[in-house]
Amino acid sequence: MSIITVETYVVRAEKSIEFTTLIDEFLKFKKAHPQLFKGVKSWKLYRQDYGQPAGMYIEMWEYGNLAQVEETNRQIFSDERMKKINAAFHKLVEPATFSSSIWSEVA
């Protein structure tokens, strides 16, 4: 059964173009460095079109088990470029809207 880490957040209104640029940079980096992301079964990013809070993003990372979450995150975020992408990301979101959780597959 898979483990899914879920992050939700709202991007500051005035930072939406920077966010789009940063996502493009992340996707290029992810594609160019598959060895860093080998423990990730899937990654998806959704934008909420209706509901509260308006414009919320939902990011889902799927792993095989909890140990892979820890190992893969340690690998990914020990990379200097990913540290910079992550720091830039957190400057673009409304801090009070950021949440992170871990979900387990039930059925």
Side-chain angles (χ1 to χ4, degrees), residues 7 45 47 58 70 74 78 82 96:
E7 294 181 346
L45 178 64
R47 183 170 183 270
I58 301 166
E70 295 170 0
R74 190 172 27 259
S78 66
M82 271 307 298

Side-chain angles (χ1 to χ4, degrees), residues 27-38 79 81:
L27 291 173
K28 287 176 187 169
F29 179 85
K30 186 175 176 287
K31 185 175 183 178
H33 299 87
Q35 73 283 2
L36 284 179
F37 298 87
K38 70 179 182 178
D79 181 87
R81 187 67 202 127

Side-chain angles (χ1 to χ4, degrees), residues 2-100:
S2 293
I3 296 291
I4 299 174
T5 61
V6 177
E7 294 181 346
T8 60
Y9 49 86
V10 174
V11 174
R12 297 174 193 261
E14 69 276 9
K15 300 291 186 180
S16 62
I17 293 172
E18 290 176 57
F19 178 75
T20 301
T21 302
L22 189 63
I23 289 297
D24 289 342
E25 180 181 342
F26 167 72
L27 291 173
K28 287 176 187 169
F29 179 85
K30 186 175 176 287
K31 185 175 183 178
H33 299 87
Q35 73 283 2
L36 284 179
F37 298 87
K38 70 179 182 178
V40 178
K41 291 172 81 174
S42 68
W43 177 84
K44 295 177 182 171
L45 178 64
Y46 299 94
R47 183 170 183 270
Q48 180 173 285
D49 292 327
Y50 181 79
Q52 294 293 323
M56 181 174 66
Y57 285 88
I58 301 166
E59 194 171 329
M60 303 174 88
W61 296 72
E62 181 184 8
Y63 303 87
N65 56 53
L66 194 53
Q68 281 185 330
V69 173
E70 295 170 0
E71 179 183 330
T72 304
N73 280 342
R74 190 172 27 259
Q75 233 178 276
I76 291 170
F77 295 108
S78 66
D79 181 87
E80 289 303 314
R81 187 67 202 127
M82 271 307 298
K83 285 180 186 177
K84 289 178 183 175
I85 290 171
N86 190 46
F89 163 79
H90 283 285
K91 291 178 182 175
L92 302 177
V93 302
E94 292 287 351
T97 67
F98 183 85
S99 74
S100 183

